[in-house]
């Protein structure tokens, strides 16, 4: 249903996933739009990124794709506030 990634979008998405360590050695360029569906128990840092060793969060990993937040009222209030 989603359109194919353009070359610019593929490069942006690949950079983010590479920094996060989510790209395997056999993959050189992401060709499919990311689909991220974090569990409602996710922490603030895991959603937006950061931490003592900064890593991209789920929001960044969904760049040029879909961030699906099922059962929104189940997420912690702090997580919802961070997204605001």
């Amino acid at each position: 249903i989603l359109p194919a990634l353009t070359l610019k979008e593929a490069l942006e998405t690949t950079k983010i996933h590479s920094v996060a360590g989510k790209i395997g050695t056999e993959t050189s360029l992401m060709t499919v739009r990311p689909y991220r569906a974090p569990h409602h128990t996710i922490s603030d840092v895991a959603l937006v990124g950061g931490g003592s060793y900064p890593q991209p969060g789920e929001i960044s990993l969904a760049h040029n794709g879909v961030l699906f937040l099922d059962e929104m009222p189940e997420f912690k209030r702090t997580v919802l506030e961070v997204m605001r």
Side-chain angles (χ1 to χ4, degrees), residues 11-51:
L11 289 171
E12 289 175 357
T13 305
T14 302
K15 287 177 191 176
I16 294 168
H17 283 256
S18 178
V19 166
K22 305 284 185 191
I23 299 281
T25 57
E26 68 283 344
T27 305
S28 59
L29 186 66
M30 291 186 66
T31 57
V32 177
R33 290 188 183 273
Y35 174 83
R36 307 296 293 186
H39 194 262
H40 68 269
T41 59
I42 192 168
S43 69
D44 307 357
V45 174
L47 185 68
V48 297

Side-chain angles (χ1 to χ4, degrees), residues 45-66:
V45 174
L47 185 68
V48 297
S52 57
Y53 179 71
Q55 288 286 318
E58 290 292 329
I59 294 173
S60 296
L61 293 172
H63 183 66
N64 290 322
V66 174

